Amino acid sequence: KPIDGRKLEEMLAKYLPEEKVIYAKKEEEKNAEDKAAVSTPAPEKNEEEELPLFDTKLGMLYCGNFEDVYVEMLELFRDMHEETRSKLDAELAEENWSSYTIDIHALKSNGLNIGSKRLQSICLRLEMAGKSIKAEKNVEESISFIKENHEKAMKIYEEVVAEAVKYLEEKK
């Protein structure tokens, strides 16, 4: 994510016509984020299973259609797998929801970057549950959601890693 959001907003405000720019108030932004965080979506049966596990076209798109960049992203994804999995498992066991939320967010982004909407979807729901805990909204429900769905997410993660490895082996 090479774009600095604040600088992007400054540049847009600088170059767009003044009547097209609407500045949000900081309190409104915080309230909107809190509202989004408190609505942990209830898991729907087979919701993630309907999404693509590993879509190389999508992953290539996120890599600017440069196959060498895509291969490098897949290699990093594969190489970081054990460390990422161990870290998430430890954070779950320790109920370190702040770190868990940050790391599941990273996995969500990385999963989508390589083309896994299925991994991105479950990680997004886990991230929202973590944000609800941080916002002190629906805490028990959110903790239960994470505990009940973490292993499902890790299973999907393992499947995506296996597909990435298979793709990398085919490219050798």
Side-chain angles (χ1 to χ4, degrees):
K1 297 181 184 177
I3 297 172
D4 180 301
R6 193 173 319 150
K7 286 184 180 180
L8 175 63
E9 288 178 11
E10 289 171 5
M11 296 300 286
L12 288 170
K14 181 177 177 180
Y15 291 106
L16 285 174
E18 194 173 317
E19 65 272 7
K20 298 287 184 184
V21 179
I22 301 171
Y23 295 94
K25 295 179 183 174
K26 289 186 179 183
E27 188 60 33
E28 289 176 359
E29 290 174 1
K30 184 178 180 339
N31 288 340
E33 187 176 300
D34 287 347
K35 285 179 183 175
V38 298
S39 59
T40 304
E44 292 184 25
K45 195 169 188 166
N46 299 325
E47 179 180 311
E48 276 80 28
E49 285 81 5
E50 294 174 11
L51 296 171
L53 177 65
F54 188 69
D55 181 350
T56 57
K57 288 180 184 174
L58 179 64
M60 286 284 289
L61 182 67
Y62 279 105
C63 293
N65 287 317
F66 293 105
E67 188 168 30
D68 57 334
V69 174
Y70 184 57
V71 167
E72 189 174 332
M73 291 287 290
L74 289 174
E75 289 171 342
L76 285 169
F77 189 80
R78 175 201 61 203
D79 295 346
M80 295 298 296
H81 163 252
E82 287 183 31
E83 180 183 339
T84 301
R85 171 73 196 254
S86 295
K87 196 172 181 185
L88 284 165
D89 287 345
E91 291 163 351
L92 175 71
E94 296 163 6
E95 296 190 356
N96 183 344
W97 305 124
S98 179
S99 293
Y100 183 88
T101 303
I102 291 167
D103 291 330
I104 206 73
H105 167 83
L107 181 58
K108 172 195 76 176
S109 299
N110 293 336
L112 187 58
N113 284 338
I114 65 160
S116 180
K117 285 188 175 184
R118 190 178 306 175
L119 182 60
Q120 182 265 345
S121 175
I122 185 72
C123 289
L124 172 63
R125 296 184 319 124
L126 290 167
E127 178 188 1
M128 290 296 102
K131 286 183 176 184
S132 290
I133 296 166
K134 183 178 181 180
E136 298 180 359
K137 307 286 183 184
N138 303 321
V139 174
E140 293 304 316
E141 178 184 323
S142 297
I143 290 171
S144 292
F145 179 83
I146 291 172
K147 288 181 176 180
E148 291 168 10
N149 288 278
H150 172 80
E151 199 53 45
K152 177 182 178 182
M154 295 302 100
K155 182 177 183 278
I156 293 169
Y157 185 23
E158 300 291 334
E159 292 171 358
V160 173
V161 169
E163 289 296 314
V165 167
K166 188 174 8 173
Y167 180 88
L168 291 168
E169 288 173 356
E170 290 172 1
K171 291 298 171 184
K172 285 185 180 179

